[in-house]
Amino acid sequence: MTDVTTASPPASSQATAPTRDRLIRAAAELFRNKGYNGTGLAELLAVAGAPKGSLYHHFPNGKSDLALAASTWASDQMLALIDAAFAPAPSFRAGATTVCYKLAKLFDKQGKWSGCPVSATLFAGPENDAFRQHAADLFESWIAATARHAQRLGLPQEEARAAAENFYILLQGGWQLARVRRDSDVIRALHTQMQMPPQKTD
Amino acid sequence: MTDVTTASPPASSQATAPTRDRLIRAAAELFRNKGYNGTGLAELLAVAGAPKGSLYHHFPNGKSDLALAASTWASDQMLALIDAAFAPAPSFRAGATTVCYKLAKLFDKQGKWSGCPVSATLFAGPENDAFRQHAADLFESWIAATARHAQRLGLPQEEARAAAENFYILLQGGWQLARVRRDSDVIRALHTQMQMPPQKTD
DNA sequence: ACAGCATTAGACCAATTGGTCCAGTCAGGA
DNA sequence: TCCTGACTGGACCAATTGGTCTAATGCTGT
């Protein structure tokens, strides 16, 4: 949850200003709880402990720039979670199960409310197509990463892709149901619902 | 919530522009596109063609009251869709498939963007627990209705409930992926991903 | 006709929104 | 040392936010 080795900003020598980081973290947290439009700059800055000037220094386009950065950061965390879960797994099903458990635990720790930061910005509205496209790219990277693991764990390419997409859909749907019920067990039970060739459940 | 007892002017209202109805429709449409917080009252009233006074007459608590009513209305439409799809279906799987196709068609007609109005209000934020509870109730009614059909179509009670919940999760997850990709085929293909006991009823 | 109600119309409001601007502060290179 | 540019701090802004209030306007039944 710590290291953010962002791609080097254009012609700057500074290594990841803490303020910029705090802004991203605060944005990710608030957006996933209250949505993009539901989060005001005032609150954002208060949580981040940064003045307005800093925001517009680090993110010249303001809130929207920050939202893109925050969702990318959150997506990277998710990718890390996926890798961490699948890397030691003996099978795709086992890895997927671990993802569910890790996510459920995170969900509990965050107060049984927070949703997916990426969809939180996506839902900002149709007029901002850049947001939608960004979310599409991030989600695609989740699916691709999952498919890669599936293939590595023995599934043929076509099946791997299908399983990854199926898993992603379950994850998002389940996440939402867990959120509305404030019950992380929904996420924990998701692996049960995966459509897979018969294997043993660990 | 406003009491429903007074608010039932019968069928002739459709053509003659009942203000309360127009408000609900406009709210449902805007919320599902831009979210609760992303929709301003000004725009809302412009779309509905109603002045502010009417809003606060019909919905004394303003925007939040309207949101509850709009999501209930939208949920009722969804329930009608579910019933219409399952009623003539020869099997649960067939009915579920029809739901997917109907929903996909609706999605296309609405501009390949609109999401679920119920989740749109849910995502308003954690401070309003009434919203969350309302969404939970509505979603539960979807699942219950689906489970009822499943049972009627031959599934044992326990399995029916599980199948309904699984279907709901797929629906929400798929809907979201369809939205981010602007591709209704994701929804159309959902029935493929349903987890069902080995039965050859379709 | 009138009374009494439901509804509409929109002026008005304080608070908040996202955003701009600039005077400062500070570290590091010359 | 002084200079320079990155960074911070916050005053300030127009626009918009959701919401209130009251005068007018119907539409009932009597």
Side-chain angles (χ1 to χ4, degrees):
Chain A
M1 188 156 179
T2 329
D3 56 334
V4 182
T5 42
T6 25
S8 52
S12 171
S13 57
Q14 118 279 13
T16 313
T19 303
R20 191 191 141 96
D21 227 58
R22 272 175 6 242
L23 283 168
I24 288 182
R25 271 173 225 267
E29 182 196 325
L30 289 172
F31 288 169
R32 105 175 112 212
N33 282 333
K34 331 180 34 165
Y36 177 77
N37 287 303
T39 305
L41 245 38
E43 185 182 8
L44 197 326
L45 294 169
V47 170
K52 244 178 206 169
S54 302
L55 207 194
Y56 285 89
H57 171 75
H58 292 290
F59 304 95
N61 284 340
K63 203 187 182 188
S64 53
D65 259 10
L66 177 57
L68 269 333
S71 61
T72 302
W73 178 79
S75 170
D76 285 344
Q77 285 197 305
M78 186 63 183
L79 286 173
L81 188 151
I82 289 173
D83 284 339
F86 274 108
S91 71
F92 178 71
R93 180 172 287 274
T97 304
T98 308
V99 169
C100 294
Y101 275 73
K102 277 178 183 282
L103 208 60
K105 196 173 159 190
L106 215 69
F107 181 79
D108 280 332
K109 188 155 51 182
Q110 282 164 349
K112 301 195 175 198
W113 175 264
S114 43
C116 165
V118 181
S119 17
T121 68
L122 157 67
F123 286 137
E127 56 248 15
N128 196 338
D129 201 66
F131 274 27
R132 202 211 90 248
Q133 188 56 54
H134 190 69
D137 292 344
L138 295 181
F139 285 151
E140 176 53 35
S141 76
W142 297 13
I143 295 174
T146 308
R148 218 174 300 124
H149 283 291
Q151 212 168 342
R152 181 178 59 78
L153 288 167
L155 278 74
Q157 180 166 4
E158 198 109 336
E159 260 181 56
R161 170 76 198 181
E165 200 153 310
N166 172 254
F167 184 54
Y168 164 83
I169 289 177
L170 284 175
L171 222 56
Q172 284 289 350
W175 197 340
Q176 188 166 312
L177 188 56
R179 201 180 173 193
V180 80
R181 288 194 186 154
R182 297 182 64 83
D183 178 11
S184 60
D185 285 341
V186 178
I187 302 176
R188 225 168 261 111
L190 277 180
H191 71 97
T192 293
Q193 317 220 0
M194 280 178 43
Q195 191 192 49
M196 287 280 297
Q199 280 179 23
K200 67 168 184 187
T201 331
D202 3 19
Chain B
M1 269 286 286
T2 51
D3 51 338
V4 202
T5 52
T6 51
S8 31
S12 64
S13 44
Q14 197 65 258
T16 34
T19 305
R20 192 191 142 97
D21 231 59
R22 263 160 33 226
L23 282 168
I24 288 183
R25 272 172 226 268
E29 182 195 324
L30 288 172
F31 289 169
R32 107 175 110 213
N33 283 331
K34 331 180 36 165
Y36 177 78
N37 287 305
T39 304
L41 281 191
E43 186 182 7
L44 197 330
L45 294 170
V47 169
K52 245 180 203 168
S54 302
L55 207 195
Y56 284 89
H57 171 74
H58 292 290
F59 304 95
N61 283 340
K63 203 188 181 188
S64 53
D65 257 12
L66 178 55
L68 269 336
S71 60
T72 302
W73 178 79
S75 170
D76 284 345
Q77 285 197 306
M78 187 63 183
L79 285 174
L81 188 152
I82 288 174
D83 284 338
F86 274 107
S91 72
F92 178 71
R93 180 173 286 275
T97 304
T98 307
V99 169
C100 293
Y101 274 74
K102 277 178 184 282
L103 207 61
K105 195 173 160 190
L106 215 69
F107 182 79
D108 280 334
K109 188 155 52 183
Q110 282 164 347
K112 300 194 176 201
W113 175 265
S114 42
C116 166
V118 181
S119 18
T121 69
L122 157 68
F123 287 136
E127 56 248 18
N128 196 337
D129 200 66
F131 274 26
R132 201 212 91 248
Q133 188 55 54
H134 189 68
D137 292 344
L138 295 181
F139 285 151
E140 176 54 36
S141 76
W142 297 13
I143 295 174
T146 308
R148 218 173 301 126
H149 284 293
Q151 211 168 341
R152 181 179 58 81
L153 289 166
L155 277 74
Q157 179 167 6
E158 198 109 336
E159 263 180 50
R161 170 76 198 183
E165 200 154 310
N166 172 254
F167 184 55
Y168 165 83
I169 289 177
L170 283 175
L171 222 56
Q172 284 289 350
W175 196 341
Q176 187 166 313
L177 188 57
R179 201 182 173 192
V180 80
R181 287 195 185 153
R182 297 182 63 81
D183 178 11
S184 60
D185 286 340
V186 177
I187 302 176
R188 225 167 262 112
L190 276 181
H191 71 98
T192 294
Q193 317 219 1
M194 280 178 45
Q195 190 195 48
M196 287 284 295
Q199 80 182 117
K200 318 293 181 229
T201 36
D202 55 344

